[in-house]
């Protein structure tokens, strides 16, 4: 079974760039059968999909965040990453990575989540 | 913008009772890409149902999904103590690519 683990700074200053990495174990990120997604959840609120990447490098982003988001993949380390620029307090959330089977329309395995707080 | 509206916001029931959670879409689904997740405090969401009615691996058969078009339902036939949690519905659209979640239904012990 695939396992995912988010990592990165828990505190980011306003206007700076949030950076998180998701490490995949129990499976290869090079599998062409999956996309690799990022989702976030502000405290006490619902879930928001941020975007995803395929091993080919093809990406899809949430239109509302597209201008600030970059998702990349590193097959040599079995990791994929999220960068969110120009952050504000509204970007404070738990960030999850998840597997996204192609042509399936759901997210089946999730990491435990990483809390990122935007504050000076 | 496509919106998923879940009702009720909070559902208070007792163990052993039947739970019916609703998810309404502002636009009809052209495919069967509708999923349900369960989330407990401090945990990541867990996939319960995908493709409207297929149970994910390891999900007990007391959980079932149904619906089509703009109206979808998650039913828990007999509530167990571990079922009290927040439930989210989610749709996937291909053009443009987008995952949209409902705002959640909190299932609490009465």
């Amino acid at each position: 079974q695939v396992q995912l683990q988010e990592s990165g700074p828990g505190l980011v200053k306003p206007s700076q760039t949030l950076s998180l990495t998701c490490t995949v174990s129990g499976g290869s990120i090079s599998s062409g059968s999956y996309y690799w997604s990022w989702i976030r959840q502000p405290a006490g609120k619902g879930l928001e999909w941020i975007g995803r990447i395929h091993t080919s490098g093809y990406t899809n982003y949430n239109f509302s965040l597209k201008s600030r988001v970059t998702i990349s993949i590193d097959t040599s380390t079995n990791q994929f990453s999220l960068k969110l620029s120009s952050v504000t307090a509204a970007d404070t959330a738990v960030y999850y990575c998840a597997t996204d089977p192609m042509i399936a329309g759901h997210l089946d395995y999730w990491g435990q989540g990483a809390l990122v707080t935007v504050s000076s | 913008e496509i919106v998923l509206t879940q009702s009720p916001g909070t559902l208070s029931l007792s163990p052993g009772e039947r739970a019916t959670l609703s998810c309404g879409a502002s636009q009809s689904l052209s495919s069967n890409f509708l999923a349900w997740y369960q989330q407990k405090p401090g945990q990541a969401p867990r996939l319960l149902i995908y493709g409207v009615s297929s149970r994910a691996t390891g999900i007990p058969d007391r959980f079932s999904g149904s619906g089509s078009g703009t109206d979808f339902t998650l039913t828990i036939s007999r509530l167990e103590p571990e079922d009290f949690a927040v439930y989210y519905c989610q749709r996937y659209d291909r053009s443009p690519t987008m995952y949209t979640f409902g705002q959640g239904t909190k299932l609490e012990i009465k």
Side-chain angles (χ1 to χ4, degrees):
Chain A
Q1 175 177 318
V2 174
Q3 294 185 316
L4 303 99
Q5 177 68 60
E6 305 88 350
S7 60
L11 182 64
V12 181
K13 288 181 167 41
S15 79
Q16 294 191 342
T17 296
L18 177 159
S19 296
L20 290 172
T21 296
C22 182
T23 301
V24 178
S25 58
S28 173
I29 205 168
S30 298
S31 168
S33 301
Y34 281 96
Y35 282 94
W36 306 90
S37 270
W38 286 99
I39 306 96
R40 70 180 182 178
Q41 184 175 36
K45 297 188 178 181
L47 299 157
E48 180 180 36
W49 179 74
I50 299 169
R52 68 181 186 180
I53 191 165
H54 186 260
T55 188
S56 65
Y58 183 76
T59 54
N60 298 112
Y61 296 129
N62 184 327
F63 182 80
S64 68
L65 297 169
K66 188 173 183 177
S67 63
R68 298 196 291 133
V69 174
T70 302
I71 298 175
S72 58
I73 193 166
D74 186 343
T75 56
S76 68
T77 58
N78 230 33
Q79 296 175 326
F80 64 108
S81 298
L82 168 70
K83 290 188 186 299
L84 181 66
S85 64
S86 305
V87 297
T88 69
D91 295 309
T92 294
V94 175
Y95 286 75
Y96 296 101
C97 54
T99 57
D100 183 347
M102 288 186 70
I103 320 176
H106 61 265
L107 303 160
D108 52 4
Y109 296 106
W110 296 59
Q112 66 184 29
L115 173 62
V116 179
T117 301
V118 179
S119 175
S120 55
Chain B
E1 179 190 1
I2 295 173
V3 175
L4 290 178
T5 302
Q6 293 186 239
S7 60
T10 302
L11 184 57
S12 299
L13 293 170
S14 300
E17 290 192 292
R18 180 185 185 91
T20 302
L21 287 68
S22 296
C23 176
S26 60
Q27 294 182 31
S28 180
L29 267 71
S30 58
S31 62
N32 67 342
F33 294 143
L34 193 287
W36 291 90
Y37 301 83
Q38 176 193 69
Q39 187 177 34
K40 296 180 180 179
Q43 296 184 16
R46 176 174 72 143
L47 178 67
L48 297 175
I49 300 288
Y50 65 93
V52 177
S53 60
S54 297
R55 275 187 299 277
T57 303
I59 301 303
D61 61 6
R62 65 180 181 273
F63 290 90
S64 63
S66 63
S68 64
T70 59
D71 297 303
F72 299 88
T73 300
L74 174 69
T75 301
I76 311 171
S77 58
R78 284 182 59 86
L79 285 166
E80 298 286 343
E82 62 267 26
D83 298 337
F84 292 91
V86 178
Y87 292 84
Y88 294 95
C89 59
Q90 167 253 299
R91 67 178 280 168
Y92 171 76
D93 293 278
R94 281 190 273 203
S95 185
T97 298
M98 182 66 184
Y99 281 93
T100 303
F101 292 89
Q103 83 280 14
T105 289
K106 181 179 181 181
L107 179 56
E108 64 177 23
I109 299 177
K110 188 173 182 179

